[in-house]
Amino acid sequence: MSELDLLVLGDVNPDVIVSDPGLQPQFGQVEQLVDSASLVLGGSAAITAVGAARLGLRAGLCGVVGADDLGRLM
């Protein structure tokens, strides 16, 4: 029997998440100050693997990352 229920092959990218309770989306190029920002695991393959794991599957991820600081973080 396999150790994994699902192996996802694909992209692994950093996502920047900004949040602020009073943030209102605006069209055009408008700078806004926010309360917090975080760098998290992103990319459709990574998000799929995390979602499957949250549903109870034993999920794995195989992806290629860049040879830079963000790639090493991912």
Side-chain angles (χ1 to χ4, degrees), residues 4-30:
L4 295 176
D5 296 314
L6 175 68
L7 175 61
V8 183
L9 307 175
D11 58 335
V12 180
N13 302 303
D15 280 351
V16 177
I17 306 296
V18 296
S19 62
D20 187 308
L23 188 63
Q24 294 294 318
Q26 296 182 24
F27 292 101
Q29 196 169 3
V30 178

Side-chain angles (χ1 to χ4, degrees), residues 2-69:
S2 174
E3 293 180 21
L4 295 176
D5 296 314
L6 175 68
L7 175 61
V8 183
L9 307 175
D11 58 335
V12 180
N13 302 303
D15 280 351
V16 177
I17 306 296
V18 296
S19 62
D20 187 308
L23 188 63
Q24 294 294 318
Q26 296 182 24
F27 292 101
Q29 196 169 3
V30 178
E31 293 182 10
Q32 297 182 52
L33 296 177
V34 296
D35 284 343
S36 67
S38 56
L39 193 59
V40 299
L41 181 65
S44 57
I47 292 168
T48 299
V50 169
R54 286 182 176 171
L55 290 172
L57 295 176
R58 294 169 298 171
L61 172 63
C62 180
V64 176
V65 297
D68 59 3
D69 289 338

